[in-house]
Amino acid sequence: GENVEQHPSTLSVQEGDSAVIKCTYSDSASNYFPWYKQELGKGPQLIIDIRSNVGEKKDQRIAVTLNKTAKHFSLHITETQPEDSAVYFCAASGLDGSYGKLTFGQGTILTVHP
Amino acid sequence: EAQVTQNPRYLITVTGKKLTVTCSQNMNHEYMSWYRQDPGLGLRQIYYSMNVEVTDKGDVPEGYKVSRKEKRNFPLILESPSPNQTSLYFCASRRDGASNQPQHFGDGTRLSIL
């Protein structure tokens, strides 16, 4: 089955700096890669996603890049703000039999210091 | 407002006392799933359902049951809870079983089994 590794487990940055979180996956058939943000007491919220036919996607201060050959993808947050502090999860989705299964990374605790 | 609703949000109970965590979605989604979140392990899938009366095991199904009698509801049942089921649980739904569909999460249920 799919295996997703996420690094780092914790990340501390100063407000205004950039933050990068990296994930690798094992199944070359995976074709969908979402990123979720989880705030305290809340469920994971989708913040950006990328499909395997695209190398990069950007939404304001957030961008995701995908390298299918190397089987890794990354989340980039620019001009970080204290409200970006949360747990971030990457995930990879591919067909498991007849349905799409989402496999998550271990999570990254991002702290943005004012 | 499109949402996934879980109840209860918090529960402390004792070993062996049957409990049910309810999950309901208002998006007419076919696919629903339950996850547990443990520190350092990310989110792991317990059970999923492709549609009414169609359920199957995820990666960590031992000690859990589910049912899908109506499209909107997908309860998680712990027949005889044990301390190792103390965890944070999330219900999720998406439009269908395709692998590249965004998944929507509830706000979680924190279970403590004493």
Side-chain angles (χ1 to χ4, degrees), chain B residues 64-78:
Chain B
Y64 304 95
K65 284 177 55 177
V66 293
S67 69
R68 187 93 181 272
K69 293 182 169 49
E70 304 166 283
K71 197 171 187 179
R72 63 182 293 128
N73 297 324
F74 189 44
L76 178 70
I77 302 156
L78 285 71

Side-chain angles (χ1 to χ4, degrees), chain B residues 37-95:
Chain B
Q37 182 180 351
D38 301 290
L41 297 178
L43 286 89
R44 294 179 293 166
Q45 190 180 54
I46 302 170
Y47 268 93
Y48 66 93
S49 170
M50 294 285 283
N51 213 324
V52 174
E53 302 292 2
V54 181
T55 64
D56 207 347
K57 296 176 181 178
D59 296 319
V60 288
E62 294 78 19
Y64 304 95
K65 284 177 55 177
V66 293
S67 69
R68 187 93 181 272
K69 293 182 169 49
E70 304 166 283
K71 197 171 187 179
R72 63 182 293 128
N73 297 324
F74 189 44
L76 178 70
I77 302 156
L78 285 71
E79 293 269 3
S80 183
S82 62
N84 64 8
Q85 292 177 299
T86 292
S87 187
L88 180 58
Y89 292 85
F90 289 100
C91 180
S93 74
R94 69 174 187 244
R95 192 182 72 189

Side-chain angles (χ1 to χ4, degrees), chain B residues 23-34:
Chain B
C23 174
S24 180
Q25 50 93 5
N26 64 358
M27 295 167 278
N28 200 36
H29 284 171
E30 290 184 354
Y31 178 93
M32 297 185 74
S33 182
W34 276 102

Side-chain angles (χ1 to χ4, degrees), chain A residues 31-32 36 38 41-46 49 51 87 89 93-96 98-107, chain B residues 9 31 35 37 40-43 45 48 50 58-59 88 90 94 97-108:
Chain A
N31 62 0
Y32 174 64
Y36 287 87
Q38 185 181 10
K42 296 285 190 180
Q45 297 285 319
L46 179 71
D49 57 11
R51 290 174 171 78
V87 181
F89 290 99
S93 181
L95 285 177
D96 183 350
S98 60
Y99 86 104
K101 180 180 177 181
L102 206 56
T103 301
F104 287 85
Q106 296 84 354
Chain B
R9 293 291 315 278
Y31 178 93
Y35 296 87
Q37 182 180 351
L41 297 178
L43 286 89
Q45 190 180 54
Y48 66 93
M50 294 285 283
D59 296 319
L88 180 58
F90 289 100
R94 69 174 187 244
S99 64
N100 61 356
Q101 293 298 316
Q103 199 153 253
H104 304 262
F105 285 84
D107 281 337

